[in-house]
Amino acid sequence: MTHYIYLVRHGEHQNAEHGLVDGPLSPRGRRQASLLADRLSGVPLSAVWHSPLVRASETARAVADRLPAVAPEPSALLFDCVPTGLTPDTPAAFESFFGSITEAEVDAGRAQMDDAVNEFLVRKPGDVHELLITHNFVIAWFVREVLGAPDWRWMTLNQAHCGLSVISQKQGRPWTLIAHNDLAHLPVELRTGLPETLPF
């Protein structure tokens, strides 16, 4: 008996390149979501949770259109957030990122991710398959948590739009990272959202 959680970053949203904070999926984002839905169509999902932001909601709807047995539900625990501030171990290269982040935002992000871990990383009985459609930093925090890495390490974990990460827990064992940012379902031209261009 295994509990699987599929972690997906939302598809690309309209005018993201112009700094728009949220919005509907772009044509490319809709294609990404459609291919993600194809990839997950054989998974017996028991629940689909998503961030309430538009780009995540629309990605969840695209998946649900292929899997009518599950109804996507929003969760405020999956909102985009910054889960930590600077720590003594944070490399100096990351300091500039925190220049516009307030202490209140960091406190709220930390509390949110503590609650998210307590809500979702809880072993459920039987075989369970849950899909969480959320944001880059949230997925990075879950992966960091499962790996037991230092807090600042979430900053080094990036996910492409509609990239697929999978964590699982067998009865009596710790959570395990099965896959991270799997892009096999996306052609090269749809692999967007990473801070660096892949060389392949």
Side-chain angles (χ1 to χ4, degrees):
M1 298 295 183
T2 306
H3 183 178
Y4 293 95
I5 298 178
Y6 305 84
L7 298 163
V8 171
R9 185 182 179 189
H10 58 80
E12 179 189 78
H13 67 280
Q14 197 75 48
N15 295 324
E17 69 274 17
H18 301 303
L20 193 69
V21 175
D22 193 25
L25 294 180
S26 67
R28 187 158 53 184
R30 290 195 295 273
R31 182 76 180 123
Q32 291 164 340
S34 176
L35 291 170
L36 172 69
D38 288 344
R39 177 81 184 273
L40 295 174
S41 61
V43 176
L45 291 174
S46 46
V48 177
W49 302 93
H50 63 87
S51 157
L53 293 179
V54 174
R55 57 192 189 269
S57 300
E58 289 197 355
T59 305
R61 251 198 321 275
V63 173
D65 285 347
R66 306 286 176 87
L67 301 164
V70 293
E73 295 185 49
S75 170
L77 297 178
L78 299 177
F79 265 124
D80 206 2
C81 70
V82 176
T84 66
L86 281 171
T87 73
D89 299 324
T90 306
F94 294 113
E95 287 183 14
S96 61
F97 170 83
F98 292 100
S100 61
I101 308 296
T102 68
E103 193 171 324
E105 287 174 312
V106 170
D107 289 345
R110 166 67 85 172
Q112 176 188 318
M113 292 319 300
D114 284 348
D115 289 346
V117 165
N118 290 332
E119 175 72 21
F120 293 109
L121 292 189
V122 175
R123 182 72 172 89
K124 298 181 175 70
D127 282 319
V128 179
H129 298 263
E130 294 180 305
L131 172 62
L132 275 54
I133 297 176
T134 180
H135 304 276
N136 193 34
F137 296 166
V138 175
I139 296 169
W141 188 259
F142 273 111
V143 172
R144 182 219 60 80
E145 180 76 19
V146 166
L147 293 177
D151 283 0
W152 66 270
R153 277 305 221 158
W154 67 269
M155 299 195 70
T156 67
L157 297 164
N158 289 290
Q159 290 66 224
H161 293 124
C162 287
L164 176 64
S165 297
V166 185
I167 57 178
S168 73
Q169 186 185 49
K170 293 183 183 293
Q171 199 74 47
R173 297 185 185 181
W175 284 94
T176 301
L177 179 65
I178 302 296
H180 178 249
N181 197 38
D182 183 348
L183 306 178
H185 51 292
L186 299 176
V188 172
E189 65 272 15
L190 293 183
R191 296 178 183 182
T192 61
L194 291 172
E196 298 177 12
T197 303
L198 294 173
F200 54 87

